[in-house]
Amino acid sequence: MFSLVSVLFGIQVLSSCGASPSRSSPPALLSPPCDDISVEEAADLALRKINADREEGYILSLYRIFSAREHSQEITGSVFYLTLDVVDTECHVLSRKLWKNCNTRVPHSIVYGQCKAIIYINQARNIAHLNNYDCTLQPVPPRYIQKICPDCPVDDNPNDPKYLDAAIQSLAKFNEESEQTHYFSVLNVTRASMQWVVGPAYFPEFLIQETSCSKSDKTVDISKCQPLPPEQAQIGFCKGSVVNSREEHRQFVSISCEIYTRQDPATEKQANQASGDSSQTHQQSPPSETNPFSPYLEKTTGSVKMLPPSTEDISFHSLPESQNKHKDGKLVPPEAAGSKPSLVGEKSQVDKPDLTKPLTGPVILPFPEEFSLSDSCPGEAKEPKAIIEPLLPKKPTSV
């Protein structure tokens, strides 16, 4: 009887061992250099896709790569966890322009911030998929602007009625001089500033929409014109100015506009061809149903949050204390939750991909708390701007 019980117990132990999955070691996150070409391309693609996903605000430009972590996948490809320092540009997101083709703003009106992005890149399958992103932006503190340019235009609340009035006055000039077939009306004011010149000067930036009123009707009241249906209407972005001269008792009005069509924006595929860089080989459009990987790629999610101007220095990311601890003059890699430390820049061996294997989606981990351990991170600024340098975090130094 005792022997029978012993045998049965042994069988149960063996069965339980075979049924339970083996505990594999957690994946190691690499710390590739921030100036590595694969990281540069991943950052470029991530920022393009962030801009393409948005419907409001201005196109963001890459200021520098602050941190990059990489998770190599089983069958080729990698998931990159990027922390990017960004600044806004003069291009509205509806222009669908490449960030590299947009001018960044002058120092006194710059908005800066940080984006965290998770992007999966699989060159063998021609896939670059932005999983999610989270951006936080903020204007440069007013006291910094006063130091470098006390007489420059000052950013103001775009919801103030005086800027809507200035936009309407500017648009009247556009409607009179343009060769469009329909009149346009103001959709909303997106940014505004004012300055005292020979009197108060107002500088609104605003979106316009095409109306049903034909320009052949010279007596039309544009305020009563109905917008065309969204699938037909053209949308535009304008920069206007209304300068009130108290000496001459007159107004000087100017405006410049770009007109877009909703159904035919500059696509990302066209943007790739225009960019002329190595990253154009990646798939830029969202995965389609014809892409066998589509069922395994989640829809891109993300947000861009704008903080109000601050009277204090704001750093959007700080180094955890664990990354400031040193041993024998060298930075001690932190123990990541659920992962083991990896050598800086170390690449795991990946066999030549077998594209006949069953498809599975990429493994997406929570965004790592630890920044890159590479000495090259943060990377160099693409277009250094002295006004925001004091506001950005510095890389840790060994002691």
Side-chain angles (χ1 to χ4, degrees):
M1 183 67 179
F2 177 77
S3 300
L4 179 60
V5 172
S6 299
V7 171
L8 292 175
F9 178 76
I11 292 175
Q12 289 178 342
V13 171
L14 291 174
S15 299
S16 62
C17 290
S20 61
S22 60
R23 286 176 172 260
S24 58
S25 58
L29 290 182
L30 309 177
S31 290
C34 280
D35 56 2
D36 184 84
I37 186 171
S38 64
V39 174
E40 293 272 3
E41 289 185 359
D44 175 39
L45 288 168
L47 200 51
R48 293 188 192 191
K49 289 178 174 293
I50 289 172
N51 288 323
D53 190 59
R54 300 165 57 213
E55 295 295 329
E56 298 179 351
Y58 294 84
I59 286 178
L60 299 176
S61 175
L62 180 62
Y63 187 77
R64 68 173 181 177
I65 301 172
F66 182 80
S67 176
R69 306 300 301 274
E70 180 182 359
H71 179 200
S72 295
Q73 302 294 296
E74 235 177 78
I75 304 179
T76 192
S78 289
V79 176
F80 289 89
Y81 301 83
L82 304 172
T83 304
L84 309 175
D85 290 330
V86 297
V87 293
D88 73 343
T89 69
E90 296 180 350
C91 300
H92 197 276
V93 294
L94 294 184
S95 70
R96 302 306 182 202
K97 292 182 180 179
L98 282 177
W99 65 266
K100 291 183 177 180
N101 295 338
C102 294
N103 295 325
T104 56
R105 292 188 177 271
V106 292
H108 67 263
S109 65
I110 202 166
V111 171
Y112 75 106
Q114 163 212 300
C115 289
K116 290 184 177 180
I118 301 177
I119 185 169
Y120 169 61
I121 296 179
N122 186 326
Q123 295 191 21
R125 295 188 184 276
N126 200 29
I127 296 171
H129 176 70
L130 181 66
N131 186 271
N132 57 61
Y133 63 93
D134 181 18
C135 300
T136 304
L137 307 175
Q138 187 172 41
V140 172
R143 69 174 181 280
Y144 281 83
I145 299 173
Q146 294 171 0
K147 289 180 181 178
I148 64 168
C149 188
D151 296 325
C152 284
V154 178
D155 283 351
D156 202 357
N157 181 5
N159 296 320
D160 192 311
K162 62 175 174 284
Y163 295 110
L164 177 59
D165 292 340
I168 293 173
Q169 292 182 62
S170 300
L171 183 58
K173 182 178 180 67
F174 172 81
N175 280 326
E176 180 182 352
E177 299 176 352
S178 78
E179 297 180 358
Q180 300 292 325
T181 57
H182 293 89
Y183 288 105
F184 281 74
S185 61
V186 176
L187 184 59
N188 65 296
V189 180
T190 57
R191 193 159 180 171
S193 61
M194 73 167 297
Q195 180 184 26
W196 190 273
V197 189
V198 290
Y202 304 105
F203 307 100
E205 297 180 10
F206 52 99
L207 292 174
I208 59 175
Q209 58 185 349
E210 187 178 11
T211 72
S212 57
C213 295
S214 172
K215 289 191 66 177
S216 60
D217 185 353
K218 303 298 182 181
T219 61
V220 68
D221 182 355
I222 298 178
S223 65
K224 297 180 180 179
C225 294
Q226 296 297 316
L228 287 174
E231 63 273 10
Q232 298 179 18
Q234 296 186 104
I235 298 295
F237 174 66
C238 301
K239 298 178 181 179
S241 72
V242 176
V243 180
N244 298 280
S245 174
R246 294 190 172 181
E247 295 180 357
E248 301 182 37
H249 303 287
R250 55 176 296 193
Q251 289 183 329
F252 298 90
V253 180
S254 66
I255 189 171
S256 63
C257 296
E258 292 182 342
I259 304 298
Y260 319 125
T261 53
R262 285 188 184 274
Q263 63 270 32
D264 188 27
T267 64
E268 290 190 55
K269 183 175 180 181
Q270 293 170 335
N272 289 341
Q273 297 172 350
S275 67
D277 59 20
S278 59
S279 60
Q280 68 184 22
T281 60
H282 295 299
Q283 178 76 18
Q284 285 295 290
S285 57
S288 63
E289 293 182 0
T290 59
N291 186 334
F293 240 74
S294 296
Y296 305 100
L297 299 177
E298 297 181 1
K299 182 180 179 181
T300 298
T301 60
S303 63
V304 177
K305 180 180 180 181
M306 175 66 78
L307 300 180
S310 173
T311 57
E312 301 177 359
D313 293 346
I314 298 296
S315 175
F316 289 99
H317 32 53
S318 57
L319 295 171
E321 292 183 3
S322 59
Q323 288 207 183
N324 290 326
K325 296 178 181 179
H326 298 79
K327 182 177 181 181
D328 299 328
K330 296 182 179 180
L331 190 65
V332 177
E335 294 288 342
S339 66
K340 62 182 181 180
S342 59
L343 296 177
V344 176
E346 177 188 11
K347 291 286 184 178
S348 58
Q349 291 293 328
V350 179
D351 296 331
K352 186 176 180 180
D354 182 2
L355 299 184
T356 63
K357 290 184 178 181
L359 294 177
T360 57
V363 177
I364 306 296
L365 303 174
F367 199 93
E369 295 181 0
E370 295 78 16
F371 294 123
S372 172
L373 305 177
S374 172
D375 291 337
S376 70
C377 296
E380 296 294 328
K382 304 299 178 183
E383 187 180 337
K385 295 185 179 295
I387 192 170
I388 66 173
E389 282 297 324
L391 305 174
L392 299 177
K394 305 297 185 293
K395 74 185 288 186
T397 57
S398 58
V399 293

